[in-house]
Amino acid sequence: MSQRRRPRAAGSPTGDAGSSPSPEKARRIRPWAALGSDRRVLALALAFRAANALLVRTYFNPDEHWQCLEVAHRVAFGYGHLTWEWKRGLRSYLHPLIFAALYKILALLHLDTPWFMVMAPRLLQSIFATFGDLYLYKLSKLIFNGQVAQWTVSLNSSILETILTVAGLYYWFTAIESSKGTSVVSKHQAASKQIPPSRKVALLIAALTCAIRPTSAVIWLYVGLLDFIQMKSKCHFVFLEVIPVGAIVLAVTTLLDWWMYGSQVIVPLNFLKFNLFSSGGDYYGTHVFH
């Protein structure tokens, strides 16, 4: 997929291209001068996300509780309510098992008190959100520039599938830019003797994202098809990259769900049957085809 850099704004100064702005001007146009490197972004994002997880008491998403933490509690301790989606096999255990493992660790350490049981998942999610902030910054910097990236990172979401999507898009675009050999990222990697990331990394993250939230496939189908049209080695991409990575993730998540459900459940297939091939989703409203 081709990316276009934003041109210099009309009416901007046309002085010496190599001259640097004065410190006063730099402070005016870069209000977040502290965000100068990936490590600083990671440290600041982690501090903000951790404080946010510990202090904020004004927002609650019941779906995140009933589709993840309650399920994880049931897995870890043997009791907890399962909503109708789990009885129909529409959800994968991949996401809740992350927090079930956390609950088990707390129990082994005798820290499964109410405070730790409430705060530990928030702090773990804050770590995930931190890496989402980092990859959103890196993606924005890759496509636009550092100044845009600094502002964009403040608009990020902390939902796991969003975090994975942003990370996957970063590796996807980086692989494309590296293959062209013309981007700043590619030159930096060449200078530091780093191996450019394979597109398989992006495909792996995309597959995991779709395993957690099947509707994420809409985003990756769009991104993949745009690049697929321009690819020269289409067969290599489909048969040696997409199918192997997708088959491995599907096999692993399916075996995991079979084990947790206690029966042969294929969550993506059940999801398609319920939402596309039947009227199950009509309860939440219907729309015209477009």
Side-chain angles (χ1 to χ4, degrees):
M1 183 185 298
S2 60
Q3 300 110 37
R4 292 179 294 178
R5 302 281 178 176
R6 291 175 63 93
R8 184 182 296 274
S12 59
T14 57
D16 184 6
S19 61
S20 58
S22 63
E24 292 77 14
K25 184 177 181 181
R27 281 193 293 269
R28 288 200 305 271
I29 64 176
R30 299 186 64 187
W32 296 347
L35 295 179
S37 67
D38 293 349
R39 290 183 180 180
R40 290 177 182 174
V41 172
L42 189 65
L44 290 173
L46 180 59
F48 171 78
R49 291 294 186 177
N52 186 72
L54 292 172
L55 300 177
V56 170
R57 296 289 185 275
T58 59
Y59 180 77
F60 174 71
N61 188 336
D63 200 45
E64 294 300 318
H65 175 81
W66 293 110
Q67 306 303 345
C68 182
L69 296 183
E70 184 74 7
V71 181
H73 189 279
R74 183 184 179 93
V75 173
F77 301 107
Y79 65 97
H81 179 71
L82 294 182
T83 60
W84 63 270
E85 293 100 326
W86 295 93
K87 298 174 182 178
R88 289 177 174 266
L90 300 179
R91 297 273 184 172
S92 174
Y93 276 91
L94 180 61
H95 188 198
L97 282 179
I98 298 174
F99 295 93
L102 175 64
Y103 286 153
K104 278 293 187 182
I105 293 173
L106 291 177
L108 290 174
L109 297 176
H110 302 289
L111 295 175
D112 50 336
T113 62
W115 191 88
F116 277 104
M117 293 291 288
V118 170
M119 291 301 173
R122 294 184 181 184
L123 290 173
L124 179 59
Q125 185 64 31
S126 71
I127 296 175
F128 296 153
T130 297
F131 284 95
D133 295 333
L134 174 64
Y135 278 103
L136 181 62
Y137 173 82
K138 290 159 70 77
L139 177 63
S140 301
K141 188 175 181 181
L142 176 68
I143 297 178
F144 297 101
N145 54 56
Q147 187 177 353
V148 173
Q150 291 171 5
W151 287 104
T152 306
V153 74
S154 65
L155 307 175
N156 195 17
S157 169
S158 61
I159 303 174
L160 184 57
E161 54 265 27
T162 304
I163 296 168
L164 291 173
T165 299
V166 172
L169 287 174
Y170 167 75
Y171 284 114
W172 184 274
F173 284 112
T174 303
I176 295 174
E177 289 286 304
S178 298
S179 65
K180 295 177 181 178
T182 57
S183 70
V184 175
V185 173
S186 300
K187 294 177 181 178
H188 174 71
Q189 289 172 343
S192 58
K193 298 182 180 179
Q194 294 180 0
I195 300 175
S198 170
R199 189 164 48 198
K200 294 185 179 67
V201 176
L203 290 172
L204 176 61
I205 297 175
L208 291 173
T209 307
C210 295
I212 294 174
R213 181 82 61 165
T215 50
S216 299
V218 175
I219 298 175
W220 288 103
L221 281 173
Y222 173 75
V223 173
L225 284 175
L226 287 180
D227 285 326
F228 181 77
I229 295 173
Q230 304 176 12
M231 286 180 185
K232 296 181 180 179
S233 55
K234 292 181 173 59
C235 291
H236 181 278
F237 173 67
V238 173
F239 293 103
L240 297 181
E241 294 186 21
V242 175
I243 292 180
V245 172
I248 291 173
V249 173
L250 179 61
V252 171
T253 54
T254 299
L255 290 175
L256 181 66
D257 289 329
W258 286 8
W259 176 45
M260 296 303 302
Y261 275 105
S263 60
Q264 295 183 358
V265 174
I266 303 178
V267 171
L269 181 59
N270 290 346
F271 184 89
L272 288 175
K273 287 181 178 179
F274 183 82
N275 289 283
L276 294 181
F277 305 134
S278 70
S279 58
D282 292 351
Y283 175 80
Y284 298 98
T286 57
H287 302 276
V288 292
F289 75 96
H290 61 283

